[in-house]
């Protein structure tokens, strides 16, 4: 007879191995710790949970809608934007309000299919929202929309900063009642990865907030394994403010994203430009045949009128022309001037373009495809390792919180046995990468970059920094680097560096063995 652990679905072999450790330890630990392990097991078998974080008005909820492909998250500032909302797969579309005491109350979606602006309950009693959608995207990815940092609303500031662990100690002492209850904290603590949203400038506290946020999610620091960032509202960047942009908006956004990536590394794998509003409109069905016809009408205007309209949002809606002001206002709300200009250029190039083809052009212009691709390569493709590493971090934290030295030792020994197995060494690599990325272990820049490379990809060529090279060349290089890191661990490395070096040496050695036998 198979055990319950074997019957559950795990993302991959690493998660299954960690699950077996949890199951084996449950009879050996206290009832409270065992209950914590049960929650770890539940999360291990659940879809990867990605939290979307960022400052208020950075366009987080708009981006969430684009990722899901449905305009369901509220984007206007209101009571719902002050709450954590978890979007997950369900067989029936529904929204549940979860209260601080754990009770739940179902509320209907509004007439447009979104979460209602008014929940009809006392918002101060609400922990978070659970939205279940019959959406294929959410089958293997739970998206957590979080309150924005920098809100002018004091209660939202308190809720968000408590969530991220960024409030000052004296504030906590003065306002202990605003601490997140276990239900609320649990709503976001299960996140194993983070998508951080920035706009034109990375503020000094963005990096701190990113670090604090990821430390609050599954007890892991941000790193290239579990965090990426997006430069949202890329269309609002003034090309003249970015050197070498050539006057092109998208070129300027790409260059700025590269600079921001340097500021946020190694906390994130990458920073990608995106126009969330345009992506939401194109992906969620908000762009209609009527919108396409309105754009055709604008395309037929004389050049002088057209260029005047596109000078500013005020002129676009107020200047007199044959296209009604109300229609233009709708286009502006859904596409902004950059999207409208892009659509007009597509119509100029192909006057017979269909509404469907025009929508696809707009989607291409939004940059969403690159974000989705990065989500796949950074998160989905490595969900097994991300979830297993997060689970081990949680297991370790639970054991330390128990206060029982014997229990801690039993958990430590069980984890060490797991990590000694060749098939589980990737977890050691992920741990080493996280320590280096967080600055917990200082390494020379070139060696830190090599640790990142070895731990941030599943492709052997990319791990070795030799993509596309012949197997023989890869084999020789893997052995060469294995020997180098072994020597470094013994001569010249600090004790902390030596521990990292041992992990990297074995990673290279296992790659060498794989290449030889492959």
């Amino acid at each position: 007879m198979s055990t319950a652990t074997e019957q559950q679905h795990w993302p991959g072999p690493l998660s299954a191995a960690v699950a077996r450790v949890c199951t084996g330890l449950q009879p050996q630990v206290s009832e409270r710790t065992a209950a914590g392990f049960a929650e770890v097991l539940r999360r291990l078998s659940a879809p990867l949970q990605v939290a979307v974080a960022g400052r208020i008005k950075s366009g987080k909820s708009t981006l969430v809608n684009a990722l899901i492909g449905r305009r369901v998250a509220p984007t206007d500032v209101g009571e719902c934007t002050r709450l954590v909302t978890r979007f997950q797969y369900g067989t029936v579309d529904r929204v549940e309000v979860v209260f601080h005491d754990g009770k739940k109350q179902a509320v209907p979606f509004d007439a447009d299919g979104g979460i209602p602006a008014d929940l009809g309950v006392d918002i101060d009693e609400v922990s978070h929202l659970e939205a279940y959608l019959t959406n294929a995207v959410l089958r293997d990815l739970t998206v957590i929309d979080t309150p924005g940092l920098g809100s002018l609303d004091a209660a939202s500031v308190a809720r968000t900063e408590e969530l991220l662990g960024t409030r000052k100690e004296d504030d906590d002492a003065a306002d202990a009642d605003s601490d997140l209850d276990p239900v609320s904290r649990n709503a976001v603590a299960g996140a194993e990865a983070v998508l951080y949203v920035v706009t034109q400038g990375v503020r000094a506290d963005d990096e701190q907030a990113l670090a604090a946020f990821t430390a609050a999610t599954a007890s892991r620091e941000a790193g290239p394994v579990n965090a990426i960032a997006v430069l949202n509202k890329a269309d609002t960047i003034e090309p003249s403010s970015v050197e070498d942009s050539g006057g092109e908006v998208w070129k300027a956004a790409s260059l700025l994203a590269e600079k921001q990536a340097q500021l946020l590394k190694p906390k994130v794998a990458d920073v990608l430009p995106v126009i969330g509003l345009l992506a939401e409109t194109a992906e969620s069905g908000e762009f209609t045949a009527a919108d396409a016809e309105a754009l055709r009408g604008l395309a037929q205007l004389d050049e002088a009128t057209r260029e005047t309209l596109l000078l500013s949002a005020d002129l676009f809606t107020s200047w007199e022309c044959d296209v009604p002001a109300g229609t233009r206002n709708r286009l502006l709300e859904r596409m902004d001037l950059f999207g409208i200009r892009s659509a007009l250029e597509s119509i100029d190039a192909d006057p017979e373009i269909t509404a469907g083809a025009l929508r696809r052009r707009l989607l291409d212009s939004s940059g969403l495809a690159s974000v989705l691709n990065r989500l796949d390569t950074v998160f989905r493709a490595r969900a097994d390792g991300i979830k297993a590493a997060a689970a081990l971090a949680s297991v370790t934290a639970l054991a330390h919180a128990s206060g029982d030295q014997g229990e801690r030792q039993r958990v430590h020994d069980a984890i060490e046995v797991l990590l000694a197995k060749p098939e589980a060494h990737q977890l050691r690599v992920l741990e080493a990468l996280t320590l280096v990325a967080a600055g917990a272990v200082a390494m020379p820049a070139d060696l830190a970059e090599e640790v990142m490379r070895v731990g941030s990809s599943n492709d052997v060529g990319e791990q070795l920094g030799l993509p596309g090279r012949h197997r023989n060349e890869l084999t020789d290089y893997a052995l060469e680097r294995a020997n180098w890191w072994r020597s470094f661990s013994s001569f010249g490395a600090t004790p902390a560096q030596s521990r990292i070096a041992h992990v990297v040496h074995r990673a290279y050695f296992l790659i060498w063995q794989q290449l030889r036998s492959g």
Side-chain angles (χ1 to χ4, degrees), residues 14 26 29 37 42 53 56 81 151 162 185 198 221 249 272 299 301 305 308 319 337 396 412 429 454 477-478 482 505:
L14 293 176
Q26 279 181 311
V29 296
F37 287 177
R42 185 192 67 77
I56 190 170
T81 59
S151 169
E162 289 289 359
R185 188 168 295 281
V198 297
E221 288 286 347
V249 171
L272 300 167
L301 296 174
T305 301
T308 300
W319 198 260
L337 289 178
T396 301
H412 176 269
V429 176
V454 171
Y477 186 73
H505 154 70

Side-chain angles (χ1 to χ4, degrees), residues 138-186:
L138 298 174
R139 283 187 178 273
D140 60 356
L141 199 71
T142 292
V143 178
I144 304 174
D145 191 7
T146 65
L149 291 168
S151 169
L152 297 178
D153 177 83
S156 296
V157 171
R159 181 182 284 107
T160 304
E161 292 184 341
E162 289 289 359
L163 178 75
L164 305 184
T166 56
R167 294 194 72 200
K168 297 178 181 178
E169 290 183 7
D170 55 344
D171 289 340
D172 290 337
D175 193 13
D177 289 341
S178 66
D179 288 350
L180 277 186
D181 61 284
V183 178
S184 303
R185 188 168 295 281
N186 189 58

Side-chain angles (χ1 to χ4, degrees), residues 166-251:
T166 56
R167 294 194 72 200
K168 297 178 181 178
E169 290 183 7
D170 55 344
D171 289 340
D172 290 337
D175 193 13
D177 289 341
S178 66
D179 288 350
L180 277 186
D181 61 284
V183 178
S184 303
R185 188 168 295 281
N186 189 58
V188 74
E192 295 122 345
V194 60
L195 177 64
Y196 196 75
V197 183
V198 297
T199 48
Q200 291 190 36
V202 174
R203 294 173 52 150
D205 55 352
D206 274 322
E207 185 174 357
Q208 296 173 353
L210 175 60
F213 186 88
T214 51
T217 57
S219 304
R220 300 189 68 216
E221 288 286 347
V225 170
N226 67 330
I228 63 175
V230 296
L231 168 60
N232 198 14
K233 303 184 180 181
D235 55 318
T236 63
I237 295 168
E238 178 54 53
S240 62
S241 67
V242 181
E243 189 177 352
D244 298 326
S245 68
E248 297 179 17
V249 171
W250 197 257
K251 178 68 173 176

Side-chain angles (χ1 to χ4, degrees), residues 331-371:
L331 291 175
L332 190 66
E333 288 178 349
R334 282 159 175 74
M335 303 169 63
D336 221 331
L337 289 178
F338 178 86
I340 293 167
R341 186 182 291 275
S342 297
L344 294 178
E345 289 173 356
S346 294
I347 294 171
D348 290 341
D350 180 8
E352 301 302 319
I353 189 171
T354 64
L358 190 55
R359 183 196 68 81
R360 289 189 292 273
R361 294 275 182 88
L362 294 174
L363 188 59
D364 290 342
S365 299
S366 73
L368 182 65
S370 295
V371 176

Side-chain angles (χ1 to χ4, degrees), residues 42 68 70 72 85-98 104 106-107 109 113 115 128-135 138 142:
R42 185 192 67 77
I68 295 173
R70 173 172 163 179
V72 62
T85 304
R86 290 165 43 88
F87 295 94
Q88 54 199 302
Y89 182 79
T91 54
V92 177
D93 287 3
R94 69 185 192 281
V95 182
E96 288 183 350
V97 179
V98 183
K104 299 180 180 180
V107 297
F109 285 102
I115 292 176
H128 65 281
L129 304 179
E130 299 273 1
Y132 297 86
L133 303 171
T134 52
N135 185 299
L138 298 174
T142 292

